[in-house]
Amino acid sequence: MREMVWIVEDEPDIRELEKTALEESGFLCLGFPTAYDFMRAFQATNQKPQVIVLDIMLPDRSGLDLIRWIREKNPSIGILCVSARGDEMDRVIGLDLGADDYLPKPFSPREMVSRVRAILRRHSAPPAPSSLLQWEGICLDTSRFHVTVDGEEVSLTATEFRLLAILVENPGQVFSRENLIERLWNNEKAIMDRTIDVHIKHLREKLKNYGSCLQTLRGIGYKLDNPQRPR
Ligand code: CA
């Protein structure tokens, strides 16, 4: 069966370029110039695409909004977002909202096709067996992306979840920001240290009583450990 890729891109030249490259690589392809056209088609069909190539800068709606909309409807469709802005926040927010990958413009059609293929490979991998991680009262079910703190469900973003999973798997181990960036984003050079700080701050708030266990080692990094109690 041929896989279907949808393109949401308002610039006709780029849309055509992407469409041609994908079709030449064997994909079925549909292109939409606006978020509205895309959403209408998406809701009208049962033949959902496997991957959506999504421009962040659209005339009628932010592509970031659209990522959120797609994820609410369908958590498993691959999303490759593209942006001319090369904006760090776009990238971080896009990935945080659930995009699978991010490609700054201008890019070669070949690069775009290989990113789409990579997303499909990841999505077709067999689901990981249910795996439970626990540290003190913090429990993570990595197959369901489910977290509880002292038995109460906590809602985390995908990035917060992955960050917490790394820390809970390795309690007491110190991770530098660079190390965390490498694990979370494959060492994307454009991700800045303060991105990690923001995620850590959000996690601390969500971990309630355990927030203080997420410790900062000034100038070194972070670790999950019981705070030293003064004797
Ligand atoms: Ca655009």
Side-chain angles (χ1 to χ4, degrees), residues 9-11 55-59 105:
E9 170 65 67
D10 56 309
E11 289 170 61
D55 182 27
I56 295 287
M57 300 276 278
L58 293 167
K105 288 180 182 175

Side-chain angles (χ1 to χ4, degrees), residues 113-130:
V113 170
S114 81
R115 300 276 189 122
V116 167
R117 287 217 173 97
I119 291 173
L120 283 166
R121 269 198 305 278
R122 266 178 269 153
H123 281 235
S124 60
S130 174

Side-chain angles (χ1 to χ4, degrees), residues 141-209:
D141 182 342
T142 57
S143 63
R144 296 191 303 141
F145 283 92
H146 189 265
V147 187
T148 57
V149 174
D150 287 336
E152 260 183 63
E153 193 173 339
V154 174
S155 165
L156 299 184
T157 66
T159 304
E160 287 164 3
F161 186 93
R162 287 162 61 211
L163 181 55
L164 184 59
I166 292 167
L167 295 166
V168 166
E169 257 189 316
N170 305 280
Q173 187 177 327
V174 179
F175 291 93
S176 68
R177 293 186 179 86
E178 293 74 26
N179 200 304
L180 291 171
I181 290 169
E182 187 182 327
R183 282 163 166 254
L184 287 168
W185 288 287
N186 236 343
N187 220 5
E188 284 271 8
K189 293 285 178 283
I191 304 286
M192 288 179 292
D193 289 358
R194 69 175 168 78
T195 311
I196 291 287
D197 301 348
V198 171
H199 289 303
I200 291 277
K201 179 171 166 287
H202 290 162
L203 262 182
R204 256 189 207 126
E205 288 160 6
K206 292 180 179 180
L207 291 178
K208 299 168 190 172
N209 293 337

